[in-house]
Amino acid sequence: LVRWSDDGNIEYLGRIDGQVKLRGLRIELGEIESRVAEHEAVKQVCVDVKEIGSVQNLVCYYVEKEGYNVNEEALKAWIGETLTAFMVPEFYVKMDKLPFTPNGKVNRRELPIPEAKDVEIVAPETKTEQKLFDIALEMLKTEQLGVTTSLISYGLTSLTAMRLSALLQQRLMVVIPVAELLSHPTIREIATMIDSGQVKSTKVADIFTKRAPQTGDGATAPKGNPLAPKGNPMVPKGNPMVPKGNPVAPKGNPMAPKANPLQSSNNKKE
């Protein structure tokens, strides 16, 4: 949506469809708002992107229905039941009413910017969590991080998720797609996937262990190399172009005259 200014320039006002690009991902704000509006305790809702602590975050502004008391953590979990993790707002602001423009649309510029909330820092408990924790600190350049903290709220984007996936494959020998990292954006969730074997391993030992045949009781190892072909299938036995014998050449000489049966009979009488 644009408009002509008084000096003849075009002023960009924003998108009409409510689509935004956050951390390299395109998000429909209206889709999130539709999900929140389905909650029984929410009367009005508006979702917008605000910069909080130098990081762009999704913020959910809502108005409660009379007689209800919204539990924001429960609301967040409820939204996450149908939407992917990067579409779930990190911040929630309760309002008495939403600001509107004379045209009846929500005035997003008047929406307050929430303060950065104190997040409970949970220390790593397992070796896998500790390795992931060290990698995350190295990438995100922050120390205010715990294993249950959403990495998305600290700047995990589609690009940094690609880098994180490469580091995990290089250092921990596991393959985790970018989509899985964005859907499970906490260190504890990623560690659980690794320890439970839900992700592919690139360790050579693991690969050969899974493929090697059993040689214990009741099992026999194959003789030789099962992958090696027997003989060369490209070389035929013998030469099929050389016929056996000469089927064209007739037996005897077809040009030689046959014996005279009358002559042979006279010879017999004499």
Side-chain angles (χ1 to χ4, degrees):
L1 179 65
V2 298
R3 70 179 178 183
W4 290 102
S5 60
D6 295 336
D7 56 4
N9 292 321
I10 296 178
E11 181 182 358
Y12 174 73
L13 300 178
R15 295 183 63 103
I16 300 178
D17 57 4
Q19 186 182 87
V20 297
K21 190 172 184 180
L22 181 64
R23 306 186 186 96
L25 301 168
R26 295 194 179 276
I27 299 175
E28 286 283 355
L29 297 178
E31 184 177 354
I32 305 174
E33 292 172 348
S34 296
R35 171 59 177 170
V36 179
E38 293 176 357
H39 196 278
E40 61 178 2
V42 175
K43 180 180 180 180
Q44 292 178 321
V45 60
C46 178
V47 178
D48 200 14
V49 177
K50 299 293 184 182
E51 184 174 338
I52 305 171
S54 71
V55 177
Q56 297 287 329
N57 285 280
L58 287 173
V59 183
C60 176
Y61 301 88
Y62 66 94
V63 177
E64 290 178 337
K65 289 182 179 179
E66 186 177 353
Y68 284 90
N69 185 16
V70 175
N71 183 310
E72 294 181 355
E73 288 299 324
L75 177 61
K76 180 179 180 181
W78 182 81
I79 297 173
E81 291 178 0
T82 56
L83 299 182
T84 53
F86 62 85
M87 296 182 67
V88 178
E90 285 294 324
F91 293 85
Y92 296 80
V93 178
K94 176 183 176 181
M95 302 188 68
D96 295 332
K97 62 179 181 178
L98 297 177
F100 288 91
T101 65
N103 296 330
K105 296 182 179 180
V106 176
N107 190 346
R108 297 178 182 273
R109 295 183 180 181
E110 296 297 325
L111 295 172
I113 299 177
E115 297 181 358
K117 55 185 178 181
D118 295 332
V119 181
E120 181 183 2
I121 304 300
V122 181
E125 298 179 357
T126 65
K127 293 182 179 180
T128 304
E129 288 183 353
Q130 184 62 55
K131 293 177 181 179
L132 292 171
F133 182 76
D134 295 338
I135 295 174
L137 292 184
E138 176 185 336
M139 284 188 54
L140 302 178
K141 309 296 183 182
T142 180
E143 295 182 357
Q144 303 297 320
L145 190 66
V147 295
T148 58
T149 306
S150 174
L151 301 181
I152 293 178
S153 62
Y154 282 86
L156 182 67
T157 66
S158 57
L159 293 178
T160 53
M162 291 175 62
R163 184 184 170 200
L164 176 58
S165 178
L167 287 175
L168 294 179
Q169 184 171 355
Q170 177 184 358
R171 299 184 185 181
L172 302 185
M173 302 300 181
V174 292
V175 178
I176 304 180
V178 173
E180 289 294 327
L181 293 175
L182 294 175
S183 298
H184 304 84
T186 68
I187 292 175
R188 178 149 293 173
E189 288 177 311
I190 299 173
T192 300
M193 288 193 298
I194 295 175
D195 292 337
S196 61
Q198 299 178 31
V199 296
K200 295 181 180 179
S201 172
T202 60
K203 294 181 180 179
V204 177
D206 290 348
I207 295 174
F208 279 94
T209 299
K210 294 178 181 179
R211 294 183 178 179
Q214 298 179 353
T215 56
D217 296 339
T220 57
K223 297 180 180 180
N225 187 351
L227 298 179
K230 297 180 180 180
N232 190 345
M234 300 303 295
V235 179
K237 297 180 180 179
N239 190 345
M241 301 304 295
V242 179
K244 297 180 181 180
N246 190 349
V248 178
K251 298 180 181 180
N253 189 354
M255 302 302 296
K258 296 182 179 180
N260 191 343
L262 297 178
Q263 185 177 1
S264 58
S265 299
N266 293 334
N267 291 340
K268 289 182 180 181
K269 290 181 180 181
E270 292 178 356

